Amino acid sequence: MRRITQIAIIVAIIMAATSTAHSQVRFGIKGGITLNELKWDRDIVSKDNRAGFTAGLMIEIGMPIVGLGIDASVLYAHRQDDMFLQDNSEQIKLKRDYLDIPLNVKYKIQIPVLCKIISPFVTTGPDFALMLGDTDKVDFKTRKWNTSWNVGFGAELFGKVQIHANYGIGLTKAFEYIGQHIDSTPIKGKDKLWTITAAYMF
């Protein structure tokens, strides 16, 4: 929890630094797909990658001269998981809905002449996801809060459309498997997922 607080403070400081008279604030709508995989700490569960989707609103606060800024979003995210317990042939299907809040530091690469047509960028920062509803199943417990760290890249086209590919690494557990296995210790699973989005900026 202390690490999450420190990350939030750092992001807030950067956001305050960019929120000056020289900063540029823009809003946008965003949507895309996700490819989710659960990473378990033991090989009791096998899994398949499954596609989901995400959509919502975003804000970008940036300093055009230096190319540094903040990219924050509020998104509805739907994730799906297919899993097989290795001690039997049972297939588990889980569908999860989240209120997803990624807070990324964004750096745009300024290319003379081409910047009005295409501006590549890189992003990184924390992602906070609050589960909507209850998806607990027999032998599985879900976590209401899920925190990840994002690393991504993309490009802005003609100053309006942003294409973004992002990889999220789970920092906290998303699931616990509490069924019968070799010992009684719960098996923890973390999210690892690719997200590919397109956003239109106003």
Side-chain angles (χ1 to χ4, degrees):
M1 191 66 183
R2 180 182 298 177
R3 180 180 296 178
I4 296 173
T5 302
Q6 291 172 343
I7 291 170
I9 292 173
I10 292 172
V11 171
I13 292 173
I14 296 173
M15 184 176 290
T18 58
S19 299
T20 67
H22 301 288
S23 66
Q24 181 184 59
V25 179
R26 299 194 298 167
F27 296 90
I29 54 175
K30 177 189 288 188
I33 61 172
T34 63
L35 187 64
N36 185 59
E37 177 187 6
L38 282 172
K39 178 66 175 179
W40 297 90
D41 60 1
R42 270 179 286 174
D43 294 330
I44 194 69
V45 181
S46 61
K47 68 281 182 185
D48 292 327
N49 292 341
R50 287 300 302 270
F53 62 88
T54 185
L57 304 175
M58 65 172 289
I59 182 174
E60 181 185 87
I61 305 172
M63 299 180 67
I65 296 177
V66 297
L68 187 65
I70 291 291
D71 179 328
S73 302
V74 177
L75 306 167
Y76 167 77
H78 178 75
R79 302 176 189 174
Q80 299 187 75
D81 306 283
D82 276 359
M83 294 172 288
F84 293 87
L85 304 184
Q86 292 186 358
D87 56 356
N88 58 46
S89 59
E90 181 183 1
Q91 182 181 21
I92 305 295
K93 290 182 177 290
L94 297 176
K95 296 181 179 180
R96 297 177 284 152
D97 298 313
Y98 287 97
L99 178 65
D100 196 22
I101 306 174
L103 301 173
N104 289 317
V105 177
K106 175 185 284 183
Y107 177 68
K108 289 185 179 179
I109 303 170
Q110 307 292 326
I111 303 175
V113 182
L114 292 178
C115 61
K116 291 185 178 180
I117 300 174
I118 183 170
S119 296
F121 59 80
V122 292
T123 60
T124 189
D127 187 306
F128 306 98
L130 172 63
M131 179 170 285
L132 304 174
D134 188 359
T135 61
D136 284 353
K137 288 199 172 187
V138 176
D139 295 339
F140 285 89
K141 290 184 63 178
T142 56
R143 182 184 174 93
K144 293 298 183 182
W145 276 102
N146 192 5
T147 306
S148 304
W149 189 267
N150 292 328
V151 178
F153 62 93
E156 181 173 290
L157 307 175
F158 304 104
K160 287 292 184 180
V161 177
Q162 294 187 2
I163 307 298
H164 187 206
N166 183 81
Y167 185 64
I169 303 170
L171 300 179
T172 57
K173 65 183 179 184
F175 283 100
E176 282 187 349
Y177 172 58
I178 55 177
Q180 298 296 322
H181 49 88
I182 295 175
D183 57 49
S184 59
T185 305
I187 300 172
K188 300 176 183 179
K190 296 181 179 179
D191 273 319
K192 290 190 175 182
L193 69 157
W194 279 99
T195 304
I196 301 175
T197 58
Y200 183 83
M201 309 302 298
F202 298 99

